[in-house]
Amino acid sequence: MNFLGHLYLSGSDPEVIVGNFMGDAVKGRDLSQYGPGIERGLRLHRAIDSFTDTHPMVRQGRERVHAHAGRYASVVMDLFYDHVLAIHWSEYHAEPLRSFARRMYVLLEANEQRMPERTRQMLPFLIRYDWLSSYATLEGVGRALDGLSRRVPQGESMRGAERVLGLHLEAYRLEFARFLPEVEAHTQEYR
């Protein structure tokens, strides 16, 4: 799961949300310097990632996109699941997606100074280009994949992977529908 999935799974505690959001940029085991709420969010982020990486449904979806994305199949899958969540948002969340996205942007921007530099540098782009809502279209996923492809070594294999998503959307939707309740249950203790 990418930004939208992580924020969705964060619950309502602002500190958990911020910690989960910045989780990719924080390394190490000792997270106590961030305070209890942010630390819980960081641990939530890690729990989501480890559960996702080993889940059979996710592995199945990764195999489907591996021929296109190669070693970045896991990264691409994170965006695919954000797309499925975005297009079926009203089935999972009472608040409309655009409203949820705006609320997250306000909260994250208000806590920007608490975030690692890498996260602070990315945040304005997330907000300006409304990444969370843009995941609801294949074009938005394509833009996200294109941006990612330019920021990682040999990332060009990610470009165009949204076509795989379009071809197999129903399979990804069915896998996601089984996966989401399981990841929610697995990470409940952090929210």
Side-chain angles (χ1 to χ4, degrees):
M1 310 210 40
N2 201 42
F3 293 119
L4 182 60
H6 275 275
L7 291 169
Y8 168 82
L9 289 169
S10 292
S12 59
D13 183 316
E15 295 215 325
V16 171
I17 293 168
V18 171
N20 190 0
F21 176 75
M22 64 189 218
D24 281 332
V26 175
K27 306 300 179 208
R29 290 180 185 214
D30 182 10
L31 305 173
S32 60
Q33 66 189 10
Y34 294 100
I38 300 272
E39 180 178 355
R40 214 166 68 245
L42 292 166
R43 295 200 186 285
L44 169 61
H45 186 99
R46 291 174 182 185
I48 293 167
D49 284 356
S50 65
F51 186 81
T52 301
D53 289 346
T54 59
H55 197 281
M57 289 287 107
V58 178
R59 261 193 304 238
Q60 194 173 317
R62 251 192 327 260
E63 288 172 16
R64 199 177 298 115
V65 74
H66 189 269
H68 186 97
R71 71 183 196 182
Y72 292 110
S74 293
V75 174
V76 170
M77 272 299 301
D78 287 346
L79 282 163
F80 283 11
Y81 274 8
D82 270 15
H83 175 72
V84 174
L85 177 59
I87 63 175
H88 295 283
W89 183 261
S90 63
E91 295 171 29
Y92 298 110
H93 205 288
E95 183 178 11
L97 177 57
R98 288 205 183 270
S99 173
F100 176 84
R102 280 191 303 269
R103 186 167 56 83
M104 292 298 107
Y105 298 149
V106 169
L107 172 66
L108 295 171
E109 200 168 42
N111 287 276
E112 182 179 4
Q113 292 309 311
R114 302 172 80 183
M115 298 176 186
E117 181 62 26
R118 177 177 146 199
T119 307
R120 284 198 312 266
Q121 288 178 352
M122 175 269 307
L123 183 61
F125 297 100
L126 176 102
I127 296 169
R128 182 179 311 131
Y129 297 109
D130 189 16
W131 290 359
L132 299 178
S133 296
S134 76
Y135 295 149
T137 67
L138 287 177
E139 295 80 16
V141 172
R143 281 191 303 274
L145 289 168
D146 187 57
L148 278 169
S149 75
R150 286 184 263 123
R151 291 191 299 275
V152 297
Q154 301 170 347
E156 56 276 349
S157 65
M158 288 188 276
R159 288 191 194 124
E162 72 277 4
R163 290 190 298 270
V164 175
L165 174 60
L167 287 171
H168 301 282
L169 186 57
E170 183 61 11
Y172 284 115
R173 185 193 68 75
L174 291 170
E175 290 162 4
F176 181 79
R178 290 178 57 194
F179 166 76
L180 186 62
E182 293 179 26
V183 73
E184 286 177 312
H186 178 76
T187 58
Q188 183 61 41
E189 70 182 272
Y190 300 97
R191 289 189 286 284

